[in-house]
Amino acid sequence: MVAKKNLCVLILAAGKGTRMKSPLPKPLHPVCGLPIIAHILQAAQALNPAAIGLVVGHEAQKMEEAVKEGLPQWGVTAPLVFVEQTDLSGSGSAVKAALPLLKRFEDVMVLNGDTPLVEAQTLEQMYSAFQDNEAGAMLLAVSVPEPSGYGRVVRAGDGTFEKIVEHSDADEKTLLIHEINSGMYIFKFAHLDKALQALTPQGPKHEYYLTDTLSYIKSQKHPVLVYGSEDYEQALGVNSKFQLSQAELIMRGRVARRLMDEGVTIPNPQAVFIDAQAQIGADSFICPGCYICGKTVIGKNCMLEGNVFIKDSTIGDNVILKMGTYIEDSSVEEECQLGPYAHLRPQSVLKKGAKVGNFSEIKKSVIGEGSKVNHLSYIGDTEMGACVNVGAGTITCNYDGKNKHKTVIGDHVFIGSNVNFVAPVTVENYAKIGAGSTITKLVPQESLAIARSRQVVLEKKGIKHD
């Protein structure tokens, strides 16, 4: 897409968000695995503007630090300029604070920092309509079932834009209007600049309303147009934890629908939790109760049974994840099988065809191709070769109280049940370890190691039994 050299997108994210009842700035609350502001930045970047401005105010430093840290993870690479609003007296003041940035551009798109559901396609269509109609200003309006709390779009007798009336200032007749202002606009900067200078304080809080600029621009005989969208959900703002949950529900529905359109089977979309950045291959089957979080990538033809949790991990094709499996920051190659109730902790790798079974835990280890850790085992800081059989209850004792140590297990090793490996220790190819052994030294290739106390039976004497 060709860069829009004359366009700057300005995102207003300076408010306190008092109804969230949280010290965390409102734009940083997560929706579908990403902060609210990340979704808006992604939509803005999709327009390919010359620059994006982000107005911060409440907890400005925290906001700026969080956004800068998150940009690479969110895939946002567009030029971003932070603007601090020191006078928190309304949306008009917020845009005024950004004038040194905006004056370099011909067109300005203004977005709210609490509308994570807005889609790039809608913004692109709106901008095209703005250009085609040579408007002085344009607002995005939607009709909602419950308009309480939103500014109403008042139209003239011929259906054209007349004004916007904030909910707190509306009379009974205006409150009956269901067409609301989304808080998203496009302006010709020259008209916006003059309109901002003409603003006066309004309402009980004596705020400067950005919406009043539209009436001013119209009074100067410049066209002010309304761009209507049938998808009212895109305009829904997040001002409370309840509205946050509603946005989460809507976005998760979108994600599930997209994945199903791509060939993923999800029998009960309302009962799964799939983050916006997750990718899943065709013919994979996702059962209820699954959490697929972060930048997880799942291959084709995988089966995820109920209550599987995956975060920031890569799952290959034809993998079976049984009930209750938990995977974090790990890699599972094709044709592996995990669970039920297996646990992969960060930096674990399962090679092709490996199996990790009931209540087994893998931590920062490589499980070789075709190897099996099937029952009640802990494998930590281990490099395991191919075709290893690990008996039930095997433990790698990797921590000496101060440092972690490595266990190396070669190819085709057979490990009996209830074996302890006291790291650092190496077991070479084709070795066998007897059940119940505690291994503290090198086990050579093709040898049998048995390290356990000799059984002693002491019979009781002098006791008679009837």
Side-chain angles (χ1 to χ4, degrees):
M1 183 184 295
V2 178
K4 299 178 176 64
K5 296 181 180 180
N6 294 324
L7 175 65
C8 178
V9 178
L10 185 68
I11 303 171
L12 309 184
K16 292 184 178 181
T18 54
R19 290 169 56 193
M20 297 296 286
K21 308 295 185 185
S22 170
L24 185 69
K26 180 170 66 172
L28 298 182
H29 283 266
V31 174
C32 214
L34 289 175
I36 291 172
I37 195 63
H39 293 288
I40 303 166
L41 285 167
Q42 288 175 345
Q45 175 173 269
L47 292 170
N48 207 12
I52 299 174
L54 181 60
V55 180
V56 295
H58 176 66
E59 295 283 7
Q61 184 176 351
K62 182 184 290 187
M63 272 288 297
E64 187 169 341
E65 290 174 354
V67 170
K68 285 180 177 178
E69 182 179 349
L71 289 176
Q73 304 169 35
W74 308 336
V76 177
T77 57
L80 180 63
V81 178
F82 290 90
V83 177
E84 186 169 358
Q85 179 188 2
T86 55
D87 177 15
L88 302 179
S89 58
S91 54
S93 295
V95 178
K96 271 188 175 183
L99 285 177
L101 167 66
L102 303 181
K103 68 181 182 181
R104 303 185 342 229
F105 304 96
E106 184 178 333
D107 300 331
V108 177
M109 178 179 286
V110 179
L111 305 177
N112 272 334
D114 63 358
T115 52
L117 299 172
V118 65
E119 295 185 329
Q121 183 179 7
T122 298
L123 299 180
E124 182 70 48
Q125 292 170 348
M126 181 182 173
Y127 187 56
S128 294
F130 175 80
Q131 292 178 305
D132 292 343
N133 290 277
E134 298 182 350
M138 178 178 282
L139 70 144
L140 177 65
V142 296
S143 293
V144 298
E146 177 47 65
S148 179
Y150 291 97
R152 308 305 203 276
V153 177
V154 179
R155 292 179 180 262
D158 60 358
T160 60
F161 172 80
E162 182 175 329
K163 60 181 178 179
I164 294 173
V165 179
E166 299 298 330
H167 180 90
S168 58
D169 301 329
D171 57 26
E172 292 185 6
K173 181 179 178 181
T174 304
L175 289 175
L176 296 176
I177 297 173
H178 282 251
E179 187 176 32
I180 66 160
N181 170 34
S182 69
M184 304 179 210
Y185 317 92
I186 307 175
F187 299 93
K188 286 295 181 185
F189 174 75
H191 305 326
L192 173 63
D193 188 21
K194 292 179 182 178
L196 288 171
Q197 308 312 321
L199 287 181
T200 57
Q202 302 292 327
K205 296 182 180 180
H206 300 286
E207 294 181 314
Y208 293 90
Y209 294 154
L210 181 61
T211 51
D212 288 346
T213 62
L214 300 173
S215 299
Y216 178 86
I217 292 171
K218 181 181 179 182
S219 73
Q220 301 300 303
K221 309 303 180 184
H222 302 297
V224 176
L225 304 180
V226 178
Y227 183 84
S229 173
E230 295 181 359
D231 182 5
Y232 74 87
E233 291 177 341
Q234 293 191 53
L236 297 180
V238 173
N239 294 297
S240 66
K241 291 294 179 64
F242 175 75
Q243 290 177 342
L244 184 69
S245 72
Q246 295 301 104
E248 179 93 6
L249 187 63
I250 292 167
M251 189 168 289
R252 289 200 183 279
R254 288 181 184 176
V255 171
R257 176 63 183 268
R258 170 179 61 81
L259 291 170
M260 289 188 286
D261 287 344
E262 294 171 357
V264 180
T265 302
I266 307 177
N268 188 349
Q270 282 114 0
V272 296
F273 302 83
I274 306 175
D275 281 352
Q277 292 181 294
Q279 301 176 43
I280 306 176
D283 290 323
S284 287
F285 194 103
I286 314 299
C287 289
C290 289
Y291 289 76
I292 302 171
C293 306
K295 290 188 173 182
T296 293
V297 177
I298 298 174
K300 300 176 182 178
N301 198 38
C302 294
M303 166 59 75
L304 275 65
E305 296 183 1
N307 302 323
V308 167
F309 182 98
I310 311 173
K311 182 177 181 182
D312 294 327
S313 298
T314 302
I315 311 297
D317 297 340
N318 303 301
V319 169
I320 298 174
L321 303 179
K322 294 187 176 182
M323 177 80 72
T325 295
Y326 189 107
I327 303 172
E328 184 177 1
D329 192 22
S330 294
S331 175
V332 178
E333 294 185 1
E334 64 269 24
E335 299 176 13
C336 289
Q337 180 174 305
L338 288 92
Y341 302 102
H343 184 186
L344 294 193
R345 288 168 59 186
Q347 301 181 54
S348 295
V349 177
L350 267 63
K351 297 293 186 178
K352 180 180 177 180
K355 293 184 179 180
V356 174
N358 308 47
F359 301 100
S360 291
E361 179 178 356
I362 312 297
K363 175 256 178 185
K364 198 178 181 180
S365 297
V366 176
I367 307 301
E369 184 172 334
S371 292
K372 300 176 182 179
V373 186
N374 277 332
H375 316 287
L376 302 163
S377 296
Y378 169 71
I379 307 297
D381 298 286
T382 297
E383 184 179 330
M384 183 182 298
C387 301
V388 174
N389 185 86
V390 178
T394 295
I395 295 174
T396 55
C397 308
N398 56 330
Y399 184 50
D400 65 6
K402 292 183 179 180
N403 300 299
K404 298 290 180 70
H405 299 282
K406 188 174 183 179
T407 297
V408 178
I409 300 172
D411 299 335
H412 298 279
V413 171
F414 182 89
I415 301 169
S417 298
N418 199 32
V419 168
N420 300 313
F421 292 100
V422 181
V425 69
T426 298
V427 179
E428 295 183 344
N429 297 344
Y430 291 95
K432 291 181 172 61
I433 311 296
S437 296
T438 296
I439 303 299
T440 60
K441 299 178 181 178
L442 170 72
V443 180
Q445 184 170 317
E446 299 183 350
S447 63
L448 169 63
I450 302 173
R452 59 191 182 215
S453 299
R454 185 174 182 180
Q455 180 174 324
V456 177
V457 178
L458 300 176
E459 296 183 359
K460 292 183 179 181
K461 296 180 179 180
I463 300 177
K464 294 182 179 180
H465 298 278
D466 295 331

